[in-house]
Amino acid sequence: MTLWGKLEAQFGIDAPADQFHDVLSCRPHHISNMSHNIHGCDLHEGEWGKEGAIVCWKYFHDGSAKVAKEVIETIDDVNLLIVFKVIEGDLLEEFKNFKVTVQVTPKGEGSVVRWTLEYEKIHENIPDPYSLLEIIVQNSKDVSAHLVKCQNK
């Protein structure tokens, strides 16, 4: 069994790509108002929407409250891509390295979102983080629904 892994999910949403990207890159602290699994996102260093910013996510996963402190490595406003690297928190109890990439692409009136989780497990008995990817997908759909609802007001 390999210790390195990569999971991907790609799916459509109804929200415009630029709005979805803007929420994740510049206003992630608003996501707790859009999705019940995210309890907060605090800025620890840097500025919202800037590479190098350090954010701390508070979320609910596998039946308990969790924390993930991440540095934003990349914000590409042209290709609507963001890369987060986990630097502290619950995920590092099972993974030596954990990186999350999200890219959103316009498609028709909506968008296509691709999430990629890249990780290195501490040992081979650690399961792949499928349940975390499922929550990320659900949160994305919640954010999209919120954005569409706000557009239609």
Side-chain angles (χ1 to χ4, degrees), residues 31-64:
I31 295 174
S32 62
N33 297 323
M34 302 176 192
S35 180
H36 68 280
N37 286 319
I38 301 295
H39 298 179
C41 182
D42 300 318
L43 181 65
H44 283 227
E45 287 183 33
E47 295 179 44
W48 292 117
K50 302 289 183 189
E51 291 177 351
I54 296 177
V55 297
C56 185
W57 295 92
K58 296 174 188 124
Y59 61 101
F60 196 76
H61 175 238
D62 285 344
S64 62

Side-chain angles (χ1 to χ4, degrees), residues 11-81:
F11 52 94
I13 59 171
D14 294 328
D18 60 338
Q19 289 182 19
F20 187 84
H21 174 76
D22 180 65
V23 167
L24 290 175
S25 64
C26 298
R27 299 181 292 125
H29 52 293
H30 292 187
I31 295 174
S32 62
N33 297 323
M34 302 176 192
S35 180
H36 68 280
N37 286 319
I38 301 295
H39 298 179
C41 182
D42 300 318
L43 181 65
H44 283 227
E45 287 183 33
E47 295 179 44
W48 292 117
K50 302 289 183 189
E51 291 177 351
I54 296 177
V55 297
C56 185
W57 295 92
K58 296 174 188 124
Y59 61 101
F60 196 76
H61 175 238
D62 285 344
S64 62
K66 307 276 175 117
V67 174
K69 193 173 191 180
E70 301 174 336
V71 62
I72 301 174
E73 291 188 332
T74 305
I75 296 177
D76 181 340
D77 293 328
V78 173
N79 294 305
L80 306 178
L81 178 131

Side-chain angles (χ1 to χ4, degrees), residues 87-126:
I87 56 173
E88 287 181 26
D90 295 290
L91 285 170
L92 296 185
E93 292 175 9
E94 297 181 331
F95 301 94
K96 289 181 186 178
N97 298 297
F98 205 98
K99 192 175 280 196
V100 179
T101 302
V102 57
Q103 184 170 22
V104 59
T105 307
K107 183 172 183 184
E109 292 185 18
S111 311
V112 174
V113 179
R114 180 193 331 247
W115 285 95
T116 305
L117 309 181
E118 296 175 86
Y119 50 89
E120 179 185 6
K121 300 175 189 179
I122 289 176
H123 57 77
E124 63 185 30
N125 295 326
I126 301 290

